[in-house]
Tab-separated table of all heavy atoms in Angstrom:
chain	number	residue	atom	x	y	z
A	1	MET	N	-32.128	-13.439	-23.014
A	1	MET	CA	-32.883	-12.807	-24.044
A	1	MET	C	-32.094	-12.856	-25.345
A	1	MET	O	-30.913	-12.545	-25.389
A	1	MET	CB	-33.167	-11.343	-23.641
A	1	MET	CG	-34.511	-10.937	-24.056
A	1	MET	SD	-34.917	-9.219	-23.549
A	1	MET	CE	-34.167	-9.009	-21.973
A	2	GLU	N	-32.730	-13.132	-26.424
A	2	GLU	CA	-32.058	-13.310	-27.707
A	2	GLU	C	-31.830	-11.966	-28.437
A	2	GLU	O	-32.728	-11.149	-28.534
A	2	GLU	CB	-32.896	-14.227	-28.607
A	2	GLU	CG	-32.225	-14.517	-29.921
A	2	GLU	CD	-33.068	-15.484	-30.794
A	2	GLU	OE1	-34.047	-16.046	-30.260
A	2	GLU	OE2	-32.701	-15.616	-31.947
A	3	VAL	N	-30.626	-11.781	-28.925
A	3	VAL	CA	-30.242	-10.608	-29.694
A	3	VAL	C	-30.641	-10.858	-31.124
A	3	VAL	O	-30.359	-11.930	-31.697
A	3	VAL	CB	-28.745	-10.372	-29.548
A	3	VAL	CG1	-28.295	-9.196	-30.478
A	3	VAL	CG2	-28.371	-10.043	-28.124
A	4	VAL	N	-31.241	-9.845	-31.787
A	4	VAL	CA	-31.617	-9.972	-33.177
A	4	VAL	C	-30.852	-9.038	-34.111
A	4	VAL	O	-30.744	-9.279	-35.333
A	4	VAL	CB	-33.133	-9.822	-33.380
A	4	VAL	CG1	-33.890	-10.963	-32.740
A	4	VAL	CG2	-33.623	-8.489	-32.899
A	5	GLN	N	-30.315	-7.929	-33.567
A	5	GLN	CA	-29.547	-6.986	-34.377
A	5	GLN	C	-28.597	-6.214	-33.506
A	5	GLN	O	-28.913	-5.939	-32.340
A	5	GLN	CB	-30.535	-6.012	-35.072
A	5	GLN	CG	-29.828	-5.039	-35.995
A	5	GLN	CD	-30.833	-4.064	-36.673
A	5	GLN	OE1	-32.029	-4.098	-36.390
A	5	GLN	NE2	-30.324	-3.213	-37.538
A	6	VAL	N	-27.444	-5.848	-34.077
A	6	VAL	CA	-26.458	-5.005	-33.374
A	6	VAL	C	-26.003	-3.930	-34.287
A	6	VAL	O	-25.851	-4.108	-35.494
A	6	VAL	CB	-25.267	-5.863	-32.831
A	6	VAL	CG1	-25.718	-6.799	-31.777
A	6	VAL	CG2	-24.577	-6.597	-33.991
A	7	ILE	N	-25.769	-2.756	-33.715
A	7	ILE	CA	-25.238	-1.624	-34.485
A	7	ILE	C	-24.053	-1.055	-33.708
A	7	ILE	O	-24.240	-0.405	-32.654
A	7	ILE	CB	-26.306	-0.541	-34.713
A	7	ILE	CG1	-27.470	-1.099	-35.474
A	7	ILE	CG2	-25.673	0.666	-35.451
A	7	ILE	CD1	-28.619	-0.139	-35.613
A	8	PRO	N	-22.815	-1.297	-34.162
A	8	PRO	CA	-21.629	-0.783	-33.483
A	8	PRO	C	-21.502	0.703	-33.763
A	8	PRO	O	-21.728	1.146	-34.884
A	8	PRO	CB	-20.499	-1.596	-34.070
A	8	PRO	CG	-20.968	-1.989	-35.432
A	8	PRO	CD	-22.460	-2.129	-35.338
A	9	LYS	N	-21.078	1.439	-32.749
A	9	LYS	CA	-20.850	2.909	-32.890
A	9	LYS	C	-19.360	3.199	-32.786
A	9	LYS	O	-18.573	2.392	-32.302
A	9	LYS	CB	-21.615	3.649	-31.804
A	9	LYS	CG	-23.149	3.431	-31.968
A	9	LYS	CD	-23.911	3.999	-30.783
A	9	LYS	CE	-23.637	5.419	-30.533
A	9	LYS	NZ	-24.375	6.003	-29.392
A	10	ASP	N	-18.953	4.402	-33.245
A	10	ASP	CA	-17.560	4.791	-33.231
A	10	ASP	C	-16.896	4.878	-31.848
A	10	ASP	O	-15.694	4.861	-31.735
A	10	ASP	CB	-17.364	6.130	-33.919
A	10	ASP	CG	-17.591	6.036	-35.439
A	10	ASP	OD1	-17.363	4.927	-35.998
A	10	ASP	OD2	-17.948	7.037	-36.036
A	11	ASP	N	-17.673	4.984	-30.797
A	11	ASP	CA	-17.160	5.180	-29.439
A	11	ASP	C	-17.118	3.862	-28.631
A	11	ASP	O	-17.065	3.868	-27.421
A	11	ASP	CB	-17.976	6.205	-28.675
A	11	ASP	CG	-19.459	5.887	-28.592
A	11	ASP	OD1	-19.864	4.788	-29.135
A	11	ASP	OD2	-20.193	6.623	-27.983
A	12	TYR	N	-17.055	2.714	-29.338
A	12	TYR	CA	-17.047	1.374	-28.725
A	12	TYR	C	-18.265	1.102	-27.878
A	12	TYR	O	-18.181	0.451	-26.900
A	12	TYR	CB	-15.752	1.199	-27.967
A	12	TYR	CG	-14.552	1.064	-28.823
A	12	TYR	CD1	-13.617	2.080	-28.904
A	12	TYR	CD2	-14.346	-0.052	-29.629
A	12	TYR	CE1	-12.518	2.020	-29.733
A	12	TYR	CE2	-13.254	-0.167	-30.483
A	12	TYR	CZ	-12.333	0.894	-30.511
A	12	TYR	OH	-11.258	0.805	-31.340
A	13	LYS	N	-19.326	1.665	-28.337
A	13	LYS	CA	-20.665	1.308	-27.786
A	13	LYS	C	-21.420	0.596	-28.868
A	13	LYS	O	-21.179	0.811	-30.057
A	13	LYS	CB	-21.418	2.523	-27.284
A	13	LYS	CG	-20.745	3.134	-26.077
A	13	LYS	CD	-21.490	4.371	-25.570
A	13	LYS	CE	-20.745	4.952	-24.380
A	13	LYS	NZ	-21.268	6.238	-23.991
A	14	VAL	N	-22.315	-0.330	-28.442
A	14	VAL	CA	-23.116	-1.133	-29.398
A	14	VAL	C	-24.564	-0.994	-29.013
A	14	VAL	O	-24.920	-1.188	-27.850
A	14	VAL	CB	-22.679	-2.589	-29.358
A	14	VAL	CG1	-23.470	-3.399	-30.389
A	14	VAL	CG2	-21.181	-2.780	-29.616
A	15	ILE	N	-25.375	-0.668	-29.999
A	15	ILE	CA	-26.837	-0.660	-29.786
A	15	ILE	C	-27.298	-2.062	-30.089
A	15	ILE	O	-27.011	-2.612	-31.182
A	15	ILE	CB	-27.512	0.371	-30.681
A	15	ILE	CG1	-26.982	1.778	-30.365
A	15	ILE	CG2	-29.057	0.304	-30.499
A	15	ILE	CD1	-27.454	2.838	-31.374
A	16	VAL	N	-27.971	-2.688	-29.127
A	16	VAL	CA	-28.385	-4.085	-29.249
A	16	VAL	C	-29.891	-4.168	-29.208
A	16	VAL	O	-30.526	-3.636	-28.302
A	16	VAL	CB	-27.782	-4.901	-28.074
A	16	VAL	CG1	-28.218	-6.379	-28.206
A	16	VAL	CG2	-26.257	-4.853	-28.099
A	17	TYR	N	-30.471	-4.819	-30.223
A	17	TYR	CA	-31.909	-5.027	-30.330
A	17	TYR	C	-32.234	-6.471	-29.947
A	17	TYR	O	-31.620	-7.409	-30.488
A	17	TYR	CB	-32.357	-4.780	-31.750
A	17	TYR	CG	-32.188	-3.355	-32.210
A	17	TYR	CD1	-30.966	-2.865	-32.642
A	17	TYR	CD2	-33.264	-2.486	-32.186
A	17	TYR	CE1	-30.822	-1.558	-33.027
A	17	TYR	CE2	-33.133	-1.175	-32.608
A	17	TYR	CZ	-31.892	-0.714	-32.996
A	17	TYR	OH	-31.760	0.608	-33.405
A	18	PHE	N	-33.187	-6.625	-29.056
A	18	PHE	CA	-33.573	-7.936	-28.531
A	18	PHE	C	-34.859	-8.399	-29.160
A	18	PHE	O	-35.676	-7.574	-29.614
A	18	PHE	CB	-33.695	-7.923	-26.968
A	18	PHE	CG	-32.399	-7.695	-26.301
A	18	PHE	CD1	-31.976	-6.374	-25.977
A	18	PHE	CD2	-31.543	-8.742	-25.988
A	18	PHE	CE1	-30.758	-6.181	-25.357
A	18	PHE	CE2	-30.337	-8.543	-25.348
A	18	PHE	CZ	-29.932	-7.235	-25.018
A	19	VAL	N	-35.072	-9.709	-29.125
A	19	VAL	CA	-36.247	-10.282	-29.750
A	19	VAL	C	-37.591	-9.781	-29.230
A	19	VAL	O	-38.572	-9.698	-29.920
A	19	VAL	CB	-36.186	-11.851	-29.716
A	19	VAL	CG1	-36.402	-12.360	-28.317
A	19	VAL	CG2	-37.134	-12.499	-30.691
A	20	ASP	N	-37.577	-9.380	-27.929
A	20	ASP	CA	-38.818	-8.860	-27.335
A	20	ASP	C	-39.087	-7.408	-27.555
A	20	ASP	O	-40.007	-6.834	-27.037
A	20	ASP	CB	-38.808	-9.191	-25.821
A	20	ASP	CG	-37.796	-8.365	-25.060
A	20	ASP	OD1	-36.961	-7.698	-25.700
A	20	ASP	OD2	-37.793	-8.434	-23.807
A	21	GLY	N	-38.224	-6.765	-28.378
A	21	GLY	CA	-38.367	-5.347	-28.676
A	21	GLY	C	-37.510	-4.401	-27.878
A	21	GLY	O	-37.444	-3.230	-28.187
A	22	LEU	N	-36.890	-4.900	-26.831
A	22	LEU	CA	-36.005	-4.055	-26.006
A	22	LEU	C	-34.810	-3.644	-26.803
A	22	LEU	O	-34.247	-4.434	-27.585
A	22	LEU	CB	-35.587	-4.891	-24.745
A	22	LEU	CG	-34.660	-4.185	-23.761
A	22	LEU	CD1	-35.397	-3.024	-23.090
A	22	LEU	CD2	-34.161	-5.156	-22.711
A	23	ILE	N	-34.366	-2.412	-26.583
A	23	ILE	CA	-33.169	-1.838	-27.239
A	23	ILE	C	-32.326	-1.276	-26.147
A	23	ILE	O	-32.785	-0.471	-25.305
A	23	ILE	CB	-33.534	-0.762	-28.247
A	23	ILE	CG1	-34.521	-1.252	-29.300
A	23	ILE	CG2	-32.268	-0.171	-28.887
A	23	ILE	CD1	-35.123	-0.183	-30.131
A	24	LYS	N	-31.043	-1.739	-26.111
A	24	LYS	CA	-30.078	-1.264	-25.076
A	24	LYS	C	-28.806	-0.886	-25.744
A	24	LYS	O	-28.434	-1.404	-26.781
A	24	LYS	CB	-29.844	-2.322	-24.029
A	24	LYS	CG	-31.083	-2.661	-23.210
A	24	LYS	CD	-30.725	-3.454	-21.983
A	24	LYS	CE	-30.155	-2.533	-20.970
A	24	LYS	NZ	-30.237	-2.944	-19.597
A	25	GLU	N	-28.090	0.050	-25.066
A	25	GLU	CA	-26.760	0.429	-25.543
A	25	GLU	C	-25.749	-0.110	-24.528
A	25	GLU	O	-25.895	0.098	-23.312
A	25	GLU	CB	-26.613	1.937	-25.645
A	25	GLU	CG	-25.267	2.378	-26.129
A	25	GLU	CD	-25.205	3.854	-26.313
A	25	GLU	OE1	-24.999	4.597	-25.313
A	25	GLU	OE2	-25.379	4.339	-27.438
A	26	PHE	N	-24.732	-0.796	-25.035
A	26	PHE	CA	-23.718	-1.372	-24.161
A	26	PHE	C	-22.347	-0.776	-24.508
A	26	PHE	O	-21.995	-0.624	-25.703
A	26	PHE	CB	-23.614	-2.890	-24.332
A	26	PHE	CG	-24.825	-3.624	-23.786
A	26	PHE	CD1	-25.844	-3.960	-24.647
A	26	PHE	CD2	-24.882	-3.960	-22.461
A	26	PHE	CE1	-26.972	-4.608	-24.179
A	26	PHE	CE2	-26.013	-4.641	-21.975
A	26	PHE	CZ	-27.037	-4.965	-22.864
A	27	ASP	N	-21.594	-0.385	-23.476
A	27	ASP	CA	-20.243	0.131	-23.665
A	27	ASP	C	-19.303	-1.055	-23.571
A	27	ASP	O	-19.185	-1.678	-22.530
A	27	ASP	CB	-19.960	1.165	-22.588
A	27	ASP	CG	-18.589	1.788	-22.715
A	27	ASP	OD1	-17.735	1.317	-23.530
A	27	ASP	OD2	-18.329	2.792	-22.033
A	28	VAL	N	-18.603	-1.369	-24.675
A	28	VAL	CA	-17.688	-2.494	-24.652
A	28	VAL	C	-16.265	-2.044	-24.663
A	28	VAL	O	-15.327	-2.853	-24.899
A	28	VAL	CB	-17.989	-3.471	-25.850
A	28	VAL	CG1	-19.384	-4.083	-25.701
A	28	VAL	CG2	-17.840	-2.768	-27.197
A	29	SER	N	-15.995	-0.787	-24.416
A	29	SER	CA	-14.617	-0.234	-24.458
A	29	SER	C	-13.688	-0.952	-23.495
A	29	SER	O	-12.497	-0.981	-23.744
A	29	SER	CB	-14.681	1.288	-24.228
A	29	SER	OG	-15.175	1.593	-22.952
A	30	HIS	N	-14.210	-1.429	-22.378
A	30	HIS	CA	-13.361	-2.130	-21.423
A	30	HIS	C	-12.803	-3.452	-21.938
A	30	HIS	O	-11.827	-3.966	-21.422
A	30	HIS	CB	-14.108	-2.344	-20.129
A	30	HIS	CG	-15.277	-3.314	-20.269
A	30	HIS	ND1	-16.450	-2.962	-20.854
A	30	HIS	CD2	-15.371	-4.608	-19.942
A	30	HIS	CE1	-17.260	-4.018	-20.875
A	30	HIS	NE2	-16.655	-5.026	-20.309
A	31	LEU	N	-13.342	-3.966	-23.042
A	31	LEU	CA	-12.858	-5.191	-23.642
A	31	LEU	C	-11.778	-4.968	-24.683
A	31	LEU	O	-10.912	-5.811	-24.940
A	31	LEU	CB	-14.004	-5.929	-24.351
A	31	LEU	CG	-15.197	-6.381	-23.518
A	31	LEU	CD1	-16.289	-6.937	-24.384
A	31	LEU	CD2	-14.736	-7.415	-22.469
A	32	VAL	N	-11.808	-3.797	-25.300
A	32	VAL	CA	-10.942	-3.479	-26.448
A	32	VAL	C	-9.470	-3.531	-26.045
A	32	VAL	O	-9.055	-2.910	-25.057
A	32	VAL	CB	-11.320	-2.113	-27.038
A	32	VAL	CG1	-10.348	-1.699	-28.122
A	32	VAL	CG2	-12.757	-2.107	-27.546
A	33	GLY	N	-8.712	-4.280	-26.819
A	33	GLY	CA	-7.249	-4.346	-26.604
A	33	GLY	C	-6.834	-5.401	-25.582
A	33	GLY	O	-5.653	-5.525	-25.303
A	34	LYS	N	-7.754	-6.143	-25.035
A	34	LYS	CA	-7.410	-7.154	-24.026
A	34	LYS	C	-7.623	-8.548	-24.531
A	34	LYS	O	-8.700	-8.883	-25.080
A	34	LYS	CB	-8.304	-6.955	-22.795
A	34	LYS	CG	-8.083	-5.629	-22.104
A	34	LYS	CD	-8.966	-5.470	-20.892
A	34	LYS	CE	-8.678	-4.094	-20.251
A	34	LYS	NZ	-9.619	-3.824	-19.187
A	35	GLY	N	-6.597	-9.371	-24.408
A	35	GLY	CA	-6.693	-10.792	-24.793
A	35	GLY	C	-7.166	-10.961	-26.247
A	35	GLY	O	-6.581	-10.362	-27.165
A	36	VAL	N	-8.192	-11.769	-26.480
A	36	VAL	CA	-8.693	-12.057	-27.795
A	36	VAL	C	-9.306	-10.822	-28.451
A	36	VAL	O	-9.510	-10.829	-29.668
A	36	VAL	CB	-9.719	-13.214	-27.788
A	36	VAL	CG1	-9.100	-14.492	-27.310
A	36	VAL	CG2	-10.945	-12.839	-26.999
A	37	PHE	N	-9.578	-9.778	-27.679
A	37	PHE	CA	-10.165	-8.564	-28.228
A	37	PHE	C	-9.127	-7.516	-28.645
A	37	PHE	O	-9.474	-6.376	-28.930
A	37	PHE	CB	-11.143	-7.935	-27.222
A	37	PHE	CG	-12.270	-8.843	-26.889
A	37	PHE	CD1	-12.384	-9.411	-25.598
A	37	PHE	CD2	-13.238	-9.151	-27.849
A	37	PHE	CE1	-13.446	-10.264	-25.359
A	37	PHE	CE2	-14.312	-10.034	-27.534
A	37	PHE	CZ	-14.412	-10.567	-26.287
A	38	GLU	N	-7.859	-7.906	-28.680
A	38	GLU	CA	-6.774	-7.013	-29.131
A	38	GLU	C	-7.050	-6.399	-30.478
A	38	GLU	O	-6.877	-5.200	-30.687
A	38	GLU	CB	-5.452	-7.776	-29.156
A	38	GLU	CG	-4.292	-6.948	-29.643
A	38	GLU	CD	-3.783	-5.899	-28.631
A	38	GLU	OE1	-3.992	-6.093	-27.416
A	38	GLU	OE2	-3.269	-4.854	-29.095
A	39	CYS	N	-7.597	-7.161	-31.422
A	39	CYS	CA	-7.867	-6.713	-32.791
A	39	CYS	C	-8.984	-5.657	-32.854
A	39	CYS	O	-9.092	-4.947	-33.840
A	39	CYS	CB	-8.172	-7.883	-33.654
A	39	CYS	SG	-9.565	-8.896	-33.103
A	40	LEU	N	-9.775	-5.521	-31.810
A	40	LEU	CA	-10.859	-4.531	-31.825
A	40	LEU	C	-10.381	-3.099	-31.666
A	40	LEU	O	-11.160	-2.164	-31.848
A	40	LEU	CB	-11.901	-4.862	-30.738
A	40	LEU	CG	-12.642	-6.204	-30.857
A	40	LEU	CD1	-13.665	-6.362	-29.759
A	40	LEU	CD2	-13.256	-6.406	-32.217
A	41	LYS	N	-9.080	-2.927	-31.391
A	41	LYS	CA	-8.491	-1.597	-31.314
A	41	LYS	C	-8.616	-0.859	-32.657
A	41	LYS	O	-8.704	0.360	-32.718
A	41	LYS	CB	-7.049	-1.618	-30.850
A	41	LYS	CG	-6.967	-1.967	-29.370
A	41	LYS	CD	-5.615	-2.051	-28.780
A	41	LYS	CE	-4.397	-1.710	-29.525
A	41	LYS	NZ	-3.131	-1.918	-28.771
A	42	ASN	N	-8.622	-1.649	-33.718
A	42	ASN	CA	-8.825	-1.089	-35.069
A	42	ASN	C	-10.316	-0.866	-35.237
A	42	ASN	O	-11.088	-1.770	-35.356
A	42	ASN	CB	-8.302	-2.089	-36.107
A	42	ASN	CG	-8.495	-1.590	-37.506
A	42	ASN	OD1	-9.529	-0.976	-37.827
A	42	ASN	ND2	-7.576	-1.912	-38.384
A	43	ILE	N	-10.732	0.430	-35.234
A	43	ILE	CA	-12.157	0.740	-35.191
A	43	ILE	C	-12.916	0.239	-36.412
A	43	ILE	O	-14.074	-0.213	-36.317
A	43	ILE	CB	-12.384	2.276	-35.026
A	43	ILE	CG1	-13.838	2.597	-34.634
A	43	ILE	CG2	-11.949	3.048	-36.223
A	43	ILE	CD1	-14.212	2.206	-33.266
A	44	SER	N	-12.277	0.204	-37.570
A	44	SER	CA	-12.986	-0.317	-38.755
A	44	SER	C	-13.170	-1.835	-38.647
A	44	SER	O	-14.206	-2.336	-39.048
A	44	SER	CB	-12.267	0.081	-40.040
A	44	SER	OG	-10.988	-0.501	-40.088
A	45	PHE	N	-12.184	-2.527	-38.095
A	45	PHE	CA	-12.352	-3.976	-37.879
A	45	PHE	C	-13.467	-4.203	-36.834
A	45	PHE	O	-14.316	-5.074	-37.030
A	45	PHE	CB	-11.037	-4.560	-37.341
A	45	PHE	CG	-11.099	-6.051	-37.140
A	45	PHE	CD1	-10.744	-6.923	-38.146
A	45	PHE	CD2	-11.504	-6.548	-35.885
A	45	PHE	CE1	-10.846	-8.305	-37.921
A	45	PHE	CE2	-11.562	-7.929	-35.712
A	45	PHE	CZ	-11.239	-8.791	-36.701
A	46	TYR	N	-13.465	-3.445	-35.730
A	46	TYR	CA	-14.485	-3.532	-34.716
A	46	TYR	C	-15.882	-3.363	-35.286
A	46	TYR	O	-16.766	-4.201	-35.029
A	46	TYR	CB	-14.211	-2.446	-33.656
A	46	TYR	CG	-15.398	-2.024	-32.837
A	46	TYR	CD1	-15.856	-2.774	-31.785
A	46	TYR	CD2	-16.115	-0.861	-33.161
A	46	TYR	CE1	-16.958	-2.366	-31.034
A	46	TYR	CE2	-17.209	-0.475	-32.444
A	46	TYR	CZ	-17.633	-1.222	-31.380
A	46	TYR	OH	-18.753	-0.830	-30.648
A	47	LYS	N	-16.084	-2.365	-36.161
A	47	LYS	CA	-17.385	-2.066	-36.696
A	47	LYS	C	-17.808	-3.092	-37.753
A	47	LYS	O	-18.985	-3.474	-37.812
A	47	LYS	CB	-17.417	-0.644	-37.247
A	47	LYS	CG	-17.402	0.376	-36.148
A	47	LYS	CD	-17.416	1.799	-36.727
A	47	LYS	CE	-18.792	2.121	-37.158
A	47	LYS	NZ	-18.960	3.471	-37.612
A	48	SER	N	-16.896	-3.512	-38.636
A	48	SER	CA	-17.284	-4.379	-39.709
A	48	SER	C	-17.439	-5.842	-39.273
A	48	SER	O	-18.063	-6.619	-40.005
A	48	SER	CB	-16.279	-4.252	-40.856
A	48	SER	OG	-14.998	-4.720	-40.468
A	49	ASN	N	-16.887	-6.224	-38.150
A	49	ASN	CA	-16.943	-7.594	-37.667
A	49	ASN	C	-17.928	-7.821	-36.510
A	49	ASN	O	-17.992	-8.896	-35.976
A	49	ASN	CB	-15.574	-8.129	-37.346
A	49	ASN	CG	-14.747	-8.300	-38.580
A	49	ASN	OD1	-14.948	-9.215	-39.335
A	49	ASN	ND2	-13.811	-7.413	-38.776
A	50	CYS	N	-18.604	-6.784	-36.093
A	50	CYS	CA	-19.645	-6.913	-35.047
A	50	CYS	C	-20.878	-7.588	-35.649
A	50	CYS	O	-21.333	-7.194	-36.727
A	50	CYS	CB	-19.975	-5.501	-34.547
A	50	CYS	SG	-21.075	-5.518	-33.119
A	51	THR	N	-21.383	-8.625	-34.994
A	51	THR	CA	-22.465	-9.420	-35.551
A	51	THR	C	-23.311	-10.048	-34.449
A	51	THR	O	-23.009	-9.939	-33.279
A	51	THR	CB	-21.864	-10.500	-36.506
A	51	THR	OG1	-22.923	-11.076	-37.204
A	51	THR	CG2	-21.060	-11.536	-35.757
A	52	VAL	N	-24.313	-10.781	-34.879
A	52	VAL	CA	-25.120	-11.604	-33.999
A	52	VAL	C	-24.754	-13.065	-34.317
A	52	VAL	O	-24.801	-13.483	-35.459
A	52	VAL	CB	-26.639	-11.389	-34.248
A	52	VAL	CG1	-27.426	-12.328	-33.363
A	52	VAL	CG2	-26.999	-9.949	-33.950
A	53	LEU	N	-24.408	-13.823	-33.270
A	53	LEU	CA	-24.052	-15.224	-33.441
A	53	LEU	C	-24.793	-16.029	-32.351
A	53	LEU	O	-24.582	-15.750	-31.185
A	53	LEU	CB	-22.553	-15.425	-33.332
A	53	LEU	CG	-22.009	-16.832	-33.464
A	53	LEU	CD1	-22.290	-17.371	-34.869
A	53	LEU	CD2	-20.520	-16.839	-33.156
A	54	ASN	N	-25.606	-16.926	-32.789
A	54	ASN	CA	-26.374	-17.765	-31.813
A	54	ASN	C	-27.155	-16.916	-30.816
A	54	ASN	O	-27.246	-17.243	-29.645
A	54	ASN	CB	-25.473	-18.736	-31.095
A	54	ASN	CG	-24.847	-19.752	-32.010
A	54	ASN	OD1	-25.437	-20.174	-32.997
A	54	ASN	ND2	-23.612	-20.132	-31.736
A	55	GLY	N	-27.737	-15.822	-31.311
A	55	GLY	CA	-28.577	-14.976	-30.481
A	55	GLY	C	-27.842	-14.076	-29.495
A	55	GLY	O	-28.450	-13.541	-28.577
A	56	THR	N	-26.543	-13.887	-29.719
A	56	THR	CA	-25.769	-13.011	-28.793
A	56	THR	C	-24.912	-12.052	-29.616
A	56	THR	O	-24.622	-12.294	-30.807
A	56	THR	CB	-24.843	-13.829	-27.888
A	56	THR	OG1	-23.869	-14.510	-28.669
A	56	THR	CG2	-25.585	-14.785	-27.021
A	57	LEU	N	-24.456	-10.988	-28.997
A	57	LEU	CA	-23.514	-10.065	-29.603
A	57	LEU	C	-22.147	-10.758	-29.727
A	57	LEU	O	-21.730	-11.439	-28.777
A	57	LEU	CB	-23.367	-8.830	-28.668
A	57	LEU	CG	-22.202	-7.875	-28.915
A	57	LEU	CD1	-22.340	-7.221	-30.325
A	57	LEU	CD2	-22.166	-6.818	-27.860
A	58	ALA	N	-21.504	-10.612	-30.893
A	58	ALA	CA	-20.217	-11.301	-31.115
A	58	ALA	C	-19.415	-10.490	-32.124
A	58	ALA	O	-19.959	-9.608	-32.798
A	58	ALA	CB	-20.468	-12.704	-31.616
A	59	TRP	N	-18.131	-10.821	-32.189
A	59	TRP	CA	-17.244	-10.327	-33.259
A	59	TRP	C	-16.598	-11.502	-33.943
A	59	TRP	O	-16.242	-12.451	-33.296
A	59	TRP	CB	-16.181	-9.393	-32.693
A	59	TRP	CG	-16.693	-8.068	-32.298
A	59	TRP	CD1	-16.745	-6.946	-33.136
A	59	TRP	CD2	-17.221	-7.658	-31.066
A	59	TRP	NE1	-17.297	-5.940	-32.420
A	59	TRP	CE2	-17.577	-6.324	-31.168
A	59	TRP	CE3	-17.415	-8.312	-29.827
A	59	TRP	CZ2	-18.163	-5.618	-30.113
A	59	TRP	CZ3	-17.984	-7.608	-28.811
A	59	TRP	CH2	-18.344	-6.295	-28.937
A	60	ILE	N	-16.498	-11.397	-35.244
A	60	ILE	CA	-15.733	-12.409	-36.014
A	60	ILE	C	-14.280	-12.017	-35.893
A	60	ILE	O	-13.834	-11.001	-36.491
A	60	ILE	CB	-16.222	-12.411	-37.440
A	60	ILE	CG1	-17.733	-12.730	-37.509
A	60	ILE	CG2	-15.425	-13.422	-38.276
A	60	ILE	CD1	-18.373	-12.497	-38.848
A	61	LEU	N	-13.503	-12.752	-35.095
A	61	LEU	CA	-12.144	-12.352	-34.813
A	61	LEU	C	-11.092	-13.048	-35.705
A	61	LEU	O	-9.930	-12.701	-35.679
A	61	LEU	CB	-11.803	-12.663	-33.355
A	61	LEU	CG	-12.693	-11.968	-32.317
A	61	LEU	CD1	-12.341	-12.414	-30.907
A	61	LEU	CD2	-12.602	-10.450	-32.473
A	62	ALA	N	-11.489	-13.975	-36.510
A	62	ALA	CA	-10.532	-14.719	-37.364
A	62	ALA	C	-10.389	-14.096	-38.687
A	62	ALA	O	-11.258	-13.414	-39.187
A	62	ALA	CB	-10.941	-16.167	-37.508
C-alpha cells in the first residue's frame, strides 16, 4: 500500500496516511540508535527528516 503522508511524533511514533485512506500509527522506537538509524536519537533530526520516498516511510539520513 502506498504511503502519501507521514507525521512524526515526539515519542518516536509516526502517523502514516495511505493512498486508500487508511491511517495507522507505527512505533519506530526500536530502530532509533541502531545502525544507520543512529542519527534518529536526535529528536529534532528525527522529526525534520521524516518523509515519504517512493511511496514509503523514510528518513533523509545524509
Side-chain angles (χ1 to χ4, degrees):
M1 218 178 324
E2 184 178 350
V3 174
V4 294
Q5 183 181 4
V6 293
I7 300 174
K9 297 171 56 180
D10 288 334
D11 57 359
Y12 291 107
K13 292 182 181 169
V14 182
I15 301 171
V16 180
Y17 294 81
F18 294 91
V19 71
D20 68 351
L22 181 65
I23 303 169
K24 293 194 79 157
E25 182 176 81
F26 292 95
D27 183 348
V28 296
S29 62
H30 65 284
L31 299 174
V32 175
K34 297 180 181 173
V36 298
F37 298 111
E38 178 71 27
C39 56
L40 298 182
K41 289 180 2 182
N42 178 323
I43 194 73
S44 63
F45 182 91
Y46 156 81
K47 289 179 76 176
S48 64
N49 289 288
C50 187
T51 189
V52 176
L53 179 64
N54 295 325
T56 63
L57 167 63
W59 285 270
I60 301 167
L61 301 177

